[in-house]
Amino acid sequence: MIKNDLFLRTLNGETTERPPVWFMRQAGRYLPDYMVLKEKYSFFERVQNPDLAREITVMPIDQVGVDAAILFSDILVIAQSLGLKVDMVPGKGPVLETATTEAEVAALNVENTEEFFRYAAPAIQAVKQGLDNRVPLIGFAGSPWTLLCYMVQGQGSKDFGEAKRFILNEPERAKVMLEKITEATIRYLHIQIDAGCNAVQIFDSWGGMLSPAMYDEFSLPYMERITKAVKDRVPVILFAKGAWYALDKLHATGASALGLSWTTSPEYARKVCGPNAVFQGNLDPTTLLASPEVVAKATKKMIDSFGGSNHIVNLGHGVLPTTSVDSAKAFVETAKAYRY
Ligand code: 1CP
């Protein structure tokens, strides 16, 4: 039994005394103790070594007091498992081998998934020990479209122009790739759930870069397949950043909650999905650059705007590396002091 199960009860649609709170990207990025580990070990050592994965994943529980942990890993592990090299270049971000030709896409190897992720169960079990049933553990993956963005572009981008060019010029090949990413992702999520993850989130970080029609064709069907494959085992949260136009369809997948970015109003989301939908979000992450007093006020206002219950307090995207620990704490403490 998990002692603080506020997050799981909210995902289950239950009315709780206050909203649970956690941060997207809480396990890396801004905590000073993480920065020390970042200097000492490579990114994939931090992901794959059980002791490091445990220390980093548990850190925000001990230091900031959030109501859920998210496994320390990255969405790009699926590109690796499919056979593409991924380098985390300090100061630059990820640089990947790409797959765009027919032969390169054909070579992406779904059958390698279990072999590649043999490190994951020991890492997750170590994290679960470190959590000692205090709070639930969230597993995660990227959406197939967001993965394709990196696997075609080879790095982050403001517009993912190469990825867009690829799906426009080679839609059928793109769909073969999206199918393979979907299959590998479902297998990986089952590994995470088998090892003890209590919920999973799918990050469609670049979903909102697609037009509504393109979203229906290149992202939604794959998000839906993943959700249907695991939702009877654990609650699923779908976060499609900026894809406000797809909320009704994402809700219809049977996901337990939908993440909202800060450009989507809670009023609009409620109107589209109904009073029983559970939402997660959605404070603008730059708000946390302000003083703790300003953060506390903005957080309370944001919680009020969700209208009471069926809400998981979070940011509208990942916490920024320049966030101060005091402002992060003000966000968490405001949610914890709130009463419906
Ligand atoms: O060594 C480092 O600290 C490198 C920075 C870093 C970290 C801490 C990267 C490289 N990934 C991560 C961990 C990570 N990534 C987590 C778990 C830990 C945490 O809570 O921070 C999660 C959930 C992710 C998810 C992720 N990776 C997303 C989806 C969420 C989002 O922010 O939109 C995306 C798009 C990535 C790709 C990625 N990995 C790393 C970077 C710098 C990026 C962004 C690249 C870009 O587009 O510019």
Side-chain angles (χ1 to χ4, degrees), residues 10-13 251 256-258 270 276-280 310-312:
T10 302
L11 283 173
N12 204 22
H251 183 53
S256 293
L258 301 180
R270 287 253 176 261
N276 295 328
V278 178
F279 296 118
Q280 176 176 278
N310 289 348
H311 178 214
I312 297 163

Side-chain angles (χ1 to χ4, degrees), residues 47 70 92 102 144 152 173 187 232 292 295 310 336:
V47 170
I70 181 161
K92 177 170 194 290
E102 197 176 346
V152 170
R173 196 182 298 160
R187 290 187 187 200
D232 294 336
V295 170
N310 289 348
K336 290 176 108 169

Side-chain angles (χ1 to χ4, degrees), residues 24-29 34 38 43 46 70-76 88 93-94 140 146 150 156-157 160 203 205-206 317-318:
M24 289 191 277
R25 310 296 306 273
Q26 69 187 13
R29 285 203 153 175
Y34 172 73
K38 185 172 163 165
F43 183 80
R46 280 172 269 148
I70 181 161
L71 180 66
F72 186 75
S73 179
D74 194 79
I75 62 167
L76 300 175
M88 291 296 186
F140 73 94
T146 293
Y150 289 99
S157 164
F160 285 98
F203 287 89
S205 301
W206 310 130
H317 198 192

Side-chain angles (χ1 to χ4, degrees), residues 250-267:
L250 291 166
H251 183 53
T253 61
S256 293
L258 301 180
L260 303 181
S261 42
W262 66 98
T263 53
T264 307
S265 75
E267 295 78 9

Side-chain angles (χ1 to χ4, degrees), residues 150-290:
Y150 289 99
M151 290 167 66
V152 170
Q153 196 86 24
Q155 57 183 37
S157 164
K158 278 205 162 53
D159 55 16
F160 285 98
E162 290 302 321
K164 289 267 187 75
R165 190 218 306 270
F166 179 70
I167 61 170
L168 288 164
N169 281 345
E170 302 289 350
E172 293 317 312
R173 196 182 298 160
K175 285 173 193 169
V176 171
M177 195 156 155
L178 290 165
E179 291 284 340
K180 287 188 165 195
I181 299 168
T182 301
E183 174 64 24
T185 299
I186 290 170
R187 290 187 187 200
Y188 175 44
L189 289 173
H190 280 305
I191 293 170
Q192 295 183 48
I193 296 163
D194 288 342
C197 289
N198 306 101
V200 296
Q201 173 157 324
I202 310 302
F203 287 89
D204 195 5
S205 301
W206 310 130
M209 287 200 164
L210 294 169
S211 68
M214 294 274 268
Y215 194 84
D216 284 352
E217 190 173 354
F218 292 100
S219 189
L220 183 70
Y222 308 97
M223 298 274 274
E224 183 173 10
R225 283 246 308 277
I226 293 169
T227 304
K228 296 219 149 98
V230 299
K231 77 179 180 61
D232 294 336
R233 299 192 69 196
V234 293
V236 177
I237 305 169
L238 298 179
F239 171 64
K241 181 173 174 267
W244 57 271
Y245 47 77
L247 279 178
D248 53 342
K249 293 171 181 170
L250 291 166
H251 183 53
T253 61
S256 293
L258 301 180
L260 303 181
S261 42
W262 66 98
T263 53
T264 307
S265 75
E267 295 78 9
Y268 172 80
R270 287 253 176 261
K271 204 163 74 193
V272 168
C273 301
N276 295 328
V278 178
F279 296 118
Q280 176 176 278
N282 74 342
L283 196 70
D284 176 348
T286 56
T287 310
L288 263 53
L289 303 181

